[in-house]
Amino acid sequence: MVVSGPIRVVVAKPGLDGHDRGAKVIARALRDAGMEVIYTGLHQTPEQIVDTAIQEDADGIGLSILSGAHMTLCAKVIELLEERDAADIKVFCGGIIPDADITELKALGVADIFTPGTSTQEVVSWVQSNLRAS
């Protein structure tokens, strides 16, 4: 079955992190590039994020994490996607992620990690190349 329509991305702020400027910038850049973006708002649990992604038939989940809880939160989102037979929804994240954690996050199943200084065009290009083609 060929899926048509724009790429659908859930942009989420998991945990207690209250800084959402970067998530909103990425959400707008993806939207301006023709994608459908569902922004969940602040303080989402992994369960809420996965529920939203499944309900919205998302192609990907972009997690914005500045709190330092990236290892736990990313692992939980990926675990829940697998439990709910939705592992085809790719997870990518951005934020304050130490270089030492990037390899482990990718081993957990995070498709890519974007750190401070990454351009919005780089994120848009990655999403266009790595999520379902529109």
Side-chain angles (χ1 to χ4, degrees), residues 12-14 17 62-75 91-108 110-118:
K13 288 293 298 180
D17 178 8
L63 299 174
S64 173
I65 305 172
L66 302 173
S67 66
H70 48 273
M71 298 302 292
T72 302
L73 293 168
C74 289
V91 176
F92 60 99
C93 70
I96 308 298
I97 313 288
D99 290 341
D101 292 344
I102 290 175
T103 301
E104 189 172 346
L105 285 169
K106 287 187 175 184
L108 288 171
V110 176
D112 212 342
I113 295 103
F114 301 97
T115 55
T118 302

Side-chain angles (χ1 to χ4, degrees), residues 27 70 80 102 110 124 128 130:
H70 48 273
L80 289 168
I102 290 175
V110 176
V124 168
Q128 290 171 329
N130 291 279

Side-chain angles (χ1 to χ4, degrees), residues 16-76:
L16 299 176
D17 178 8
H19 301 280
D20 64 349
R21 178 177 283 176
K24 288 178 178 177
V25 168
I26 293 300
R28 177 165 285 174
L30 295 173
R31 182 206 63 192
D32 290 350
M35 294 170 222
E36 290 186 13
V37 178
I38 300 92
Y39 175 62
T40 64
L42 294 169
H43 311 302
Q44 299 294 297
T45 66
E47 291 81 5
Q48 290 170 315
I49 294 165
V50 170
D51 285 346
T52 299
I54 292 169
Q55 290 168 7
E56 294 290 344
D57 196 25
D59 300 299
I61 299 172
L63 299 174
S64 173
I65 305 172
L66 302 173
S67 66
H70 48 273
M71 298 302 292
T72 302
L73 293 168
C74 289
K76 186 63 176 177

